[in-house]
Amino acid sequence: MAIIRIKNLLLRTYIGFNEEEIIKLQDVVINMTIDADLNRAIKNDTVDKSYNYKTITKDVITLVQARKFKMLENLTQTILDEIMKNKKVRFARVEVDKPHALRFAESVSIELEATQETRK
């Protein structure tokens, strides 16, 4: 079992449903935990047998920046779905923070997780 953690990926996207949120890019902070089968990559020390965390990070960046989201829940699920497309992934957890979403809070976040079994 190998755990990959991508921490504090800072992106800007359109997130929200209020008029101000719809027209203004906002910061989001993304944390991903990915349990992938990397035994062959570890044994053979080859990239082609691995789960390429650089590729999934680029895919998430493209996805988040190309779309508009009304709900933080939908953004989080969209990222999780993208990660789970790869069959090497056994489990993934995604947390997305929206800084300053509430007046007296540092941020609001949604965390979702999935396994290949729960996706069937």
Side-chain angles (χ1 to χ4, degrees):
M1 179 172 22
I3 303 294
I4 299 165
R5 287 192 176 86
I6 300 166
K7 299 178 183 182
N8 299 324
L9 179 61
L10 306 172
L11 299 177
R12 304 201 82 211
T13 192
Y14 293 98
I15 178 91
F17 47 85
N18 297 325
E19 186 176 335
E20 180 182 306
E21 295 173 317
I22 293 171
I23 61 171
K24 182 180 172 191
L25 283 168
Q26 297 181 65
D27 295 328
V28 292
V29 181
I30 302 168
N31 287 285
M32 298 173 271
T33 301
I34 303 164
D35 174 358
D37 182 0
L38 303 180
N39 291 329
R40 290 177 66 193
I42 293 166
K43 183 178 178 181
N44 298 317
D45 197 24
T46 57
V47 174
D48 64 319
K49 305 290 185 202
S50 190
Y51 177 81
N52 192 328
Y53 49 82
K54 186 175 182 179
T55 300
I56 191 59
T57 301
K58 285 182 176 182
D59 292 345
V60 167
I61 291 168
T62 300
L63 186 69
V64 170
Q65 292 179 338
R67 292 189 45 195
K68 294 184 177 188
F69 302 89
K70 290 182 181 175
M71 304 288 293
L72 194 56
E73 294 85 342
N74 182 259
L75 170 57
T76 308
Q77 185 65 57
T78 300
I79 295 167
L80 184 60
D81 291 344
E82 185 67 26
I83 293 168
M84 295 306 295
K85 285 180 183 177
N86 188 309
K87 297 303 176 200
K88 289 181 183 170
V89 174
R90 297 183 284 211
F91 167 85
R93 176 180 296 121
V94 175
E95 180 181 20
V96 180
D97 282 83
K98 184 177 175 185
H100 314 295
L102 296 173
R103 186 173 177 194
F104 297 111
E106 185 176 299
S107 73
V108 171
S109 72
I110 298 292
E111 183 176 297
L112 298 173
E113 58 186 47
T115 65
Q116 289 297 345
E117 291 75 37
T118 60
R119 290 182 41 87
K120 294 178 183 175

